[in-house]
Amino acid sequence: MNEIEKNLENLGITLDAGPEPMANYVSVQKAGDIWFFSGAGPFENGKPAVFGRLGENMTTEEGYDAARLAGINLLAILKRELGGDWNRLEQIIKIQGFVNSASDYFEQPAVINGVSDLLVEVLGDRGRHARTAVGANVLPFRIPLEVEMIIKVKY
């Protein structure tokens, strides 16, 4: 068993095939060895599983957990697109987090840490990345956050 699969097992994470696009877009746009992932949210079984706005009806800790779930979805899509071959992943380059926030909420980075921490726990140094964490007035389906990812793969 490879190290990434061991890390997932130790964390109690089972990756399914990951969510499919919900409209006219693709999950991943591949530009050579750089891949751009569409936004992923806290979904389970293909449906939004967490709803709310940070600083209004959700705490930072609840947001962190929702971001972790979004990160699990990104990892599931990544595994699918890699054909299960984690050795093809060279590096997570950047994640971009959009947090559905009340106007006086300023802890977006602490929320998006849920994804960042997960990526490093699972992928080690290949999971370290640049990052953006910003507030948004509203997100689709009333989800609390959405996260995009850019990676580099080996051919």
Side-chain angles (χ1 to χ4, degrees):
M1 178 183 294
N2 115 350
E3 183 178 332
I4 292 172
E5 290 297 330
K6 285 180 189 173
N7 292 343
L8 289 165
E9 184 178 300
N10 290 339
L11 292 167
I13 297 171
T14 302
L15 299 178
D16 59 18
E20 294 290 335
M22 301 179 78
N24 190 16
Y25 63 91
V26 295
S27 297
V28 181
Q29 185 63 275
K30 299 172 183 176
D33 62 350
I34 305 296
W35 294 2
F36 299 82
F37 286 66
S38 294
F43 282 52
E44 290 179 334
N45 301 316
K47 297 180 181 177
V50 183
F51 305 91
R53 177 173 286 150
L54 278 293
E56 184 176 291
N57 57 10
M58 285 186 76
T59 66
T60 299
E61 293 76 20
E62 291 168 326
Y64 179 98
D65 292 341
R68 193 168 177 91
L69 179 54
I72 290 169
N73 286 317
L74 286 169
L75 286 171
I77 296 166
L78 174 58
K79 182 177 180 179
R80 178 182 76 211
E81 294 296 318
L82 291 171
D85 183 1
W86 291 108
N87 292 322
R88 291 184 59 208
L89 174 65
E90 186 168 325
Q91 189 67 47
I92 305 296
I93 295 173
K94 184 172 184 181
I95 62 168
Q96 298 167 318
F98 305 90
V99 180
N100 185 352
S101 306
S103 61
D104 60 348
Y105 183 80
F106 304 103
E107 296 182 28
Q108 292 84 0
V111 170
I112 299 304
N113 281 344
V115 179
S116 294
D117 292 347
L118 174 73
L119 292 176
V120 174
E121 289 170 17
V122 172
L123 304 172
D125 284 339
R126 290 188 284 170
R128 296 195 188 286
H129 52 270
R131 186 176 89 176
T132 302
V134 298
N137 183 44
V138 65
L139 291 173
F141 313 110
R142 298 182 299 114
I143 59 175
L145 56 94
E146 186 169 351
V147 182
E148 298 176 353
M149 182 169 70
I150 303 169
I151 71 164
K152 184 173 183 182
V153 297
K154 301 174 195 172
Y155 281 101

